Amino acid sequence: MADAVVEFLLENLKQLLLYNSDLIFGVKGQVESLYKELSLMKAFLKDSKEKRSEYELVRELVRQIRDVAYEAEDTIDTFVVEAAMQKERSTLSRIVHAFDYPKKLRSVAKDIESIKAKVKEIYDKKMFGIEALYSSESVKKSSSSQRRKPVVEEDNVIGFDEAAKELVSRLTNIADSLEVVSVVGMGGLGKTTLAKKVYSDPAIEFHFFVRAWVYVSQEYSRKEVLMAILGCLMQPSDQTSKMNEEMIIEEICKQLNGRRYLIVLDDVWTTDAWNDLKTAFPNQNCGSRILLTTRNTDVAMLANPDTPPHHLRFLNDDESFELLSTKVFRKKSCPFELVELGRTIAKKCDGLPLAIVVIAGLLLKKDKTRDMWKKVAESVGSYVARDPKQCLDVLALSYKQLPDHLKVCFIYFGAFPEDFPIPVWKLVMLWVAEGFIQVNGQECLEDLAEEYLEDLVERNLILIAKRRANGRIKTCRVHDMLRDLCLREAAEEKFLQVIKRNIPDQTSLISYNYSHRRLCVHSHVMNFIHSKPSGPHVRSFLCFPSEETELSREHTSFIHEAFKLVRVLDIRSINISRFPVEITQLVHLRYVSIFGNFKVLPPSISKLWSLQSLVVETTSRDLDIQVDIWKMSQFRHLHTNGSSRLHGPQAKTRMDNEDPFVQGNIQTMSTISPDSCTENILARTPNLKKLGIRGKLAILMEVKKNASLFDNLAKLDNLDKLKLLNDTFPRPPSEGKLRGLPPLYKFPPHLNKLTLSDTLLDWTHMSTIAMLPNLEVLKLKVFAFRGPQWDPLDGGFRLLKYLHIGKTDLVHWKASGHHFPRLEHIVIEQCGDLVAIPQGLADVSALRTMELHHTPSAIGSARLILQQKQMQQKQQPQQFMQSNGFKLQIYPPE
């Protein structure tokens, strides 16, 4: 983590020197010198990365570097706050502080010199550390002695019957060419256990003439693995021990020549490992197979890009309890009085077999009483953590293999409560604000953050909770055991502290405020606030209380008083009675999320020059945003739930120069009022990707002097998501009805997703939407369209993949497959008058899912489509059946 700490500090110092050097006037030279010194430390950290696990001396040096980087960050950030306050003071106030400020200037200069001395001391020590890195090779253990094979219990294999049956079928199918079948899943899920079950299956033993099992591992030696394979095929001899790698591969190929073989490669971590080994397996078209287990999806996809791997699932509640009961009571049944507690304990292991086996081992040694089992049930995670080598250390192997930029993103998941569905849009903004996503050429930071998340998912460290209509991740979560790992690593690195209990007094709180950079409160929020916390080192404060919390007027200043250096402030879950103007003094803020009865966002927010994301939920229908975002060069995202009125730049643009108010960083404005869609505003957001408009949309569409406000959307070349939410309140709905839509050429040219609500359009106007050339997702919310019949026109919806039809009075929908040639998902919601779903949709080959919510009259037609799709599937070749299955979901279930 020291690598990330130094990296972030260097980036922040660079931004300070480039864009806000006036705030460090008087100490700029010292800051530049410190930047150079820390750059040397960064080089050492890079060089020492592979040696830290072997040398305690190097680990201690790394910890010292981290701590001195934290100290430097605190010193400079504190001075920037003081300088900003001095800058805002009136002339009279500056005179009053005429002696204070120079004193603080001298003090910070002295502190920086002290920090530089510490850096030099560490640098001198590291010279000895570098010598230690490359000396005394004889004391190092070989990689083979450090590799730990997983313990596999072949008895009591529970929950794997269907998976084993499927794998046996795939391994013994009629295809002659060599195939790789992969099993993918997170650590502790039972990949090795499943592979062992399959390997020992009588059908496998009968089918393959030659079988070999080899454990690859995270730290592997190519020669040792190849020798292990050869050892399964022939008796080792003095001659084989003298072979080099190429000779071993040649001998393996010779032994496998003309024979149908099965080779199990267990625990393959990297694509490099597969590339190292694959040349040893000849393809002789005799039905040979490779069974590969891995935690990383990219390894499986490289080994066989044509066939999806088998993703191992978690155990369900019944299977979890069965495994727990079998391990604790062996052949006996669980006593009746312990069944309920046993089910609770098993359920809290979240379907992870490794965790169940570990907790079962603990229960096996304890008294079989209700009191003891109740005690364990109340704190399953802490009991598992008591034996880290059995569980957390196994899971930690995946964490240790991560590159630095993913390590910090992964342990950040510890900030969220257990089983919390994490919105990806929010997670991405938090990662960017925290500084985890570093600039990489011209690539968008948010896009890069989503790539990081996908990488963690492919490594089976993060679980997908829900996908978006376009297939991207909408919400995600982390397994409870992996979350415990995040918290363990975070505590060791002083990265974050989770508070989920009562704070008895202020002293106990301060003790960990001093050592952690992030505070996350999960319960007893008001108790925490009343304790008057002090966190001078805290950079992030996030609240996720389980209970509803209101913050009275007199307590709104606690944030500024407690966390003067905070960058990330998420108090969305606290209802604030008034807007906390004190936060405008927190000049380091990059991310703010708040909730309350706000009608105005004051112009003083404009002082927050580092602010990137502003998330405001208000109980008011309208929100006047008086913030001058055109002066905020780092601003990227505005999220509000009300109809928010924006104001254009106050100063006039100089005609002889480039427009100084163009904000190329702004990507999200949602939701803003229709009268905010002026050229003065939208022309200055050329890179806007997501736009939400809420209010009386007739204002947006109204044509005056041959032009409308909607015309300004056509110039948004990068806009791919548009929401149009019509506000008919307080008039009768019929008065808010839109007469029509603008012509096709007035829509943003690259629009990918369109959402409409309460627009009350006639179905004839759907012809305009159908011709949008890049539209893939169409969401028609409550009464977006009205009328009894929809007849789609030919030639439209060429790229549409997702269609959502919300509450409407539609009766007859007449369509054929060619009207929606690429449609994959349909959601019909509260369409009580709809007679039937068009049977022609069964001919859309891409159609994968259909959901009906409270639409009983269309259930029969949906079932007919299901039957047709099932018939089509049976006629397909076997290798395509798994990936092209059609699913029908009906809510509520009949």
Side-chain angles (χ1 to χ4, degrees), residues 7 20 157 326 351 356 373 394 490 550 612 682 753 872 891:
E7 183 77 35
N20 291 295
V157 178
T326 303
I356 297 169
W373 279 45
V394 173
E550 288 192 22
Q612 298 173 351
L682 295 186
K753 178 181 178 180
Q872 294 168 8
Y891 304 96

Side-chain angles (χ1 to χ4, degrees), residues 421-463:
I422 305 163
V424 170
W425 66 268
K426 179 174 185 170
L427 178 69
V428 163
M429 289 196 299
L430 286 169
W431 279 355
V432 171
E434 292 280 6
F436 300 163
I437 316 298
Q438 298 295 312
V439 177
N440 185 13
Q442 297 298 313
E443 192 165 6
C444 171
L445 293 177
E446 287 76 9
D447 290 345
L448 194 58
E450 288 205 39
E451 287 181 20
Y452 287 5
L453 178 60
E454 291 281 1
D455 200 343
L456 290 171
V457 169
E458 289 181 358
R459 294 170 186 267
N460 287 282
L461 287 168
I462 300 302
L463 306 172

Side-chain angles (χ1 to χ4, degrees), residues 165 205 714 728:
K165 187 190 238 181
E205 293 178 350
T728 58

Side-chain angles (χ1 to χ4, degrees), residues 649-848:
Q650 296 177 2
K652 293 183 178 179
T653 303
R654 297 188 298 272
M655 300 302 293
D656 56 336
N657 288 318
E658 186 177 338
D659 189 343
F661 299 111
V662 170
Q663 286 287 28
N665 284 328
I666 294 181
Q667 297 183 36
T668 306
M669 294 198 303
S670 182
T671 53
I672 64 174
S673 63
D675 57 1
S676 296
C677 299
T678 63
E679 183 178 13
N680 191 31
I681 290 175
L682 295 186
R684 292 186 166 95
T685 57
N687 296 318
L688 192 66
K689 293 183 176 182
K690 181 178 180 179
L691 175 63
I693 305 171
R694 179 189 292 274
K696 296 177 176 60
L697 295 183
I699 297 172
L700 185 71
M701 307 294 183
E702 185 180 4
V703 178
K704 293 181 179 179
K705 297 181 180 180
N706 296 321
S708 70
L709 290 175
F710 193 92
D711 297 356
N712 297 313
L713 274 63
K715 302 167 187 175
L716 297 173
D717 290 341
N718 292 294
L719 192 74
D720 62 3
K721 295 181 180 67
L722 175 63
K723 280 187 180 181
L724 299 175
L725 311 177
N726 195 28
D727 188 354
T728 58
F729 178 88
R731 301 167 297 170
S734 58
E735 292 186 20
K737 174 183 172 72
L738 293 188
R739 296 178 180 177
L741 291 171
L744 183 65
Y745 71 89
K746 291 191 176 183
F747 279 81
H750 299 107
L751 198 61
N752 176 271
K753 178 181 178 180
L754 176 63
T755 302
L756 301 174
S757 180
D758 288 308
T759 45
L760 302 165
L761 288 159
D762 294 328
W763 288 103
T764 53
H765 297 296
M766 186 64 82
S767 58
T768 300
I769 296 175
M771 300 311 294
L772 290 171
N774 298 295
L775 189 67
E776 294 186 6
V777 177
L778 177 59
K779 291 188 174 184
L780 307 176
K781 298 288 188 175
V782 178
F783 284 112
F785 282 78
R786 291 197 75 167
Q789 186 157 319
W790 176 24
D791 297 309
L793 298 180
D794 293 344
F797 297 119
R798 307 311 299 170
L799 298 180
L800 191 70
K801 295 180 179 179
Y802 182 99
L803 174 62
H804 179 121
I805 303 177
K807 186 177 182 180
T808 182
D809 56 358
L810 180 64
V811 179
H812 301 289
W813 176 18
K814 298 182 179 180
S816 300
H818 69 273
H819 290 124
F820 303 94
R822 298 192 181 182
L823 193 62
E824 297 178 2
H825 309 281
I826 304 176
V827 178
I828 312 291
E829 190 172 3
Q830 292 186 325
C831 296
D833 298 328
L834 184 62
V835 173
I837 298 171
Q839 292 300 296
L841 296 181
D843 298 328
V844 181
S845 59
L847 191 61
R848 290 162 49 194

Side-chain angles (χ1 to χ4, degrees), residues 524-544:
H524 305 291
V525 175
M526 292 311 299
N527 179 268
F528 172 82
I529 294 170
H530 291 153
S531 70
K532 297 182 179 180
S534 174
H537 307 288
V538 171
R539 292 306 191 278
S540 300
F541 180 66
L542 303 99
C543 279
F544 303 98

Side-chain angles (χ1 to χ4, degrees), residues 147-158:
R147 287 192 293 141
R148 183 177 62 183
K149 294 184 179 182
V151 177
V152 180
E153 298 183 38
E154 296 182 42
D155 60 330
N156 301 326
V157 178
I158 292 168

Side-chain angles (χ1 to χ4, degrees), residues 52 87 108 225 230 251 281 299 421 493 515 563 601 608 640 713 728 739 760 842:
R52 293 176 203 171
K87 189 177 179 181
V108 76
V225 173
L230 186 59
E251 186 61 34
F281 313 124
V299 174
E493 297 290 346
S515 59
F563 313 119
L601 291 188
L608 303 175
T640 69
L713 274 63
T728 58
R739 296 178 180 177
L760 302 165

